[in-house]
Amino acid sequence: MAAAKSLVVLIMLSALLSNSFVLVLPASNFYQDFDIIWGIDKVRIRNDGEVLNLYLGKDTGSGFQSKNEYLFGKIDMQFKLVPGNSAGTVTSYYLSSQGSTWDEIDFEFLGNLSGDPYIFHTNVITQGKGDREQQFYPWFDPTSDFHTYSILWNPKTIVFYVDGTPIREFKNLESINIPYPKNQPMRIHSSLWNADDWATRGGLVKTDWTKAPFTASCRNFNAKTCIRYPAGPIISAPCPSNSSSSAWMKIDELDETSREKLKWVQKNYMIYNYCTDTKRFPKGPPPD
């Protein structure tokens, strides 16, 4: 462990001296890797930084963000979502840049009444424009144990994974003038918050505050990423691509096995796809 930490420190120092991005595989530790940005009294970090609990009360929720900014990466985190009557609550997990033309890659877990399934809500925002929602029911109980939620983001494609199974792919279609997030470094964010004006059945079901505080837990953060340090420039292809640890940079499409898994999820568990919403887009689906 000491040797691994020393290697990370040496790589970080090299990046600072060269004012650039660098490929880093940091050890997972919530003290080391993240800052609590709101609801500081409603976050608990346990097991020497290995587990973080988010809490939501009627007064406020809670959230954190990564200390580092990333430009491309394969990011995993395990979550155990709010159990029981979680209607009105949202646990979010996403990458986001800053500014009025920000980029964002979203997982949002929409709570529901006891016995009804969660909804996994995904979105990709490019240059401040979103409206690319796809939603899924899980094929398991996401509140009884931890499950792994992953985002792969490289210059060619974005893939959302649940327990290693791809559920959504968003390809780089700049060739037909569709913006793609590739120039803005992003931080990892997670939060637990009240969204009962829209989250459950369009806002018809409100949060039951007699069940508060609500709790979601996360652990096993893992990032194979390109980290941008404050002095570094913004460049569009920063990562070394000649090592096995950066294999995710080379992926431009899913292999046959992953493609079949994606089809299975989308056939059996997708409940909303913006591409087929003719009421929302009466003039035809968006070009992407």
Side-chain angles (χ1 to χ4, degrees):
M1 179 63 73
K5 288 183 177 179
S6 297
L7 178 59
V8 169
V9 169
L10 287 173
I11 295 173
M12 291 169 66
L13 179 59
S14 173
L16 287 168
L17 292 174
S18 62
N19 288 339
S20 65
F21 287 83
V22 66
L23 181 68
V24 176
L25 286 75
S28 173
N29 187 286
F30 285 102
Y31 286 121
Q32 171 184 306
D33 298 324
F34 294 94
D35 291 319
I36 300 168
I37 55 173
W38 61 292
I40 190 168
D41 61 330
K42 295 189 180 300
V43 176
R44 299 289 184 271
I45 300 177
R46 303 184 291 109
N47 296 3
D48 295 323
E50 294 182 356
V51 179
L52 185 147
N53 291 343
L54 292 167
Y55 292 88
L56 168 65
K58 193 169 185 178
D59 54 338
T60 185
S62 52
F64 62 87
Q65 69 177 21
S66 61
K67 295 179 184 292
N68 292 316
E69 292 180 300
Y70 306 98
L71 188 62
F72 307 132
K74 173 66 163 55
I75 296 163
D76 311 310
M77 197 176 301
Q78 292 189 326
F79 283 85
K80 183 161 67 172
L81 302 180
V82 176
N85 183 357
S86 58
T89 72
V90 173
T91 305
S92 59
Y93 164 51
Y94 60 100
L95 287 159
S96 182
S97 63
Q98 296 180 324
S100 59
T101 56
W102 79 100
D103 293 334
E104 189 167 317
I105 304 169
D106 282 348
F107 264 118
E108 290 186 314
F109 309 111
L110 314 185
N112 216 330
L113 295 168
S114 297
D116 290 340
Y118 260 79
I119 292 175
F120 291 176
H121 177 100
T122 66
N123 199 2
V124 177
I125 298 170
T126 57
Q127 299 177 16
K129 181 184 182 302
D131 299 331
R132 299 184 178 100
E133 298 90 349
Q134 290 183 354
Q135 295 182 336
F136 308 83
Y137 283 142
W139 51 96
F140 53 88
D141 180 358
T143 71
S144 63
D145 203 351
F146 286 91
H147 292 268
T148 303
Y149 304 89
S150 308
I151 296 170
L152 183 150
W153 169 40
N154 69 28
K156 297 290 187 179
T157 191
I158 295 166
V159 185
F160 297 77
Y161 294 88
V162 177
D163 287 336
T165 296
I167 67 169
R168 177 177 185 177
E169 183 179 27
F170 182 84
K171 285 183 168 291
N172 184 333
L173 296 176
E174 290 179 303
S175 60
I176 57 171
N177 298 317
I178 304 299
Y180 185 83
K182 70 175 189 180
N183 295 316
Q184 299 189 63
M186 296 196 258
R187 295 184 191 273
I188 302 167
H189 297 255
S190 183
S191 57
L192 175 57
W193 50 292
N194 178 46
D196 66 4
D197 57 332
W198 67 273
T200 305
R201 300 183 187 175
L204 295 176
V205 181
K206 301 301 182 181
T207 302
D208 182 355
W209 292 111
T210 66
K211 307 297 184 184
F214 302 96
T215 306
S217 302
C218 44
R219 68 180 188 187
N220 289 351
F221 165 67
N222 182 58
K224 300 176 182 178
T225 58
C226 297
I227 292 178
R228 174 181 181 259
Y229 293 91
I234 296 177
I235 52 180
S236 61
C239 288
S241 59
N242 57 354
S243 68
S244 60
S245 61
S246 59
W248 50 268
M249 277 290 286
K250 304 173 186 177
I251 295 173
D252 56 9
E253 61 182 15
L254 296 173
D255 60 29
E256 184 176 352
T257 299
S258 296
R259 176 84 35 205
E260 289 303 311
K261 291 180 179 179
L262 178 70
K263 289 179 181 178
W264 173 78
V265 171
Q266 295 192 343
K267 177 182 178 180
N268 294 287
Y269 296 99
M270 178 183 281
I271 59 171
Y272 177 80
N273 184 358
Y274 73 106
C275 295
T276 59
D277 191 339
T278 56
K279 291 184 179 179
R280 187 176 178 189
F281 302 106
K283 296 181 179 180
D288 54 337

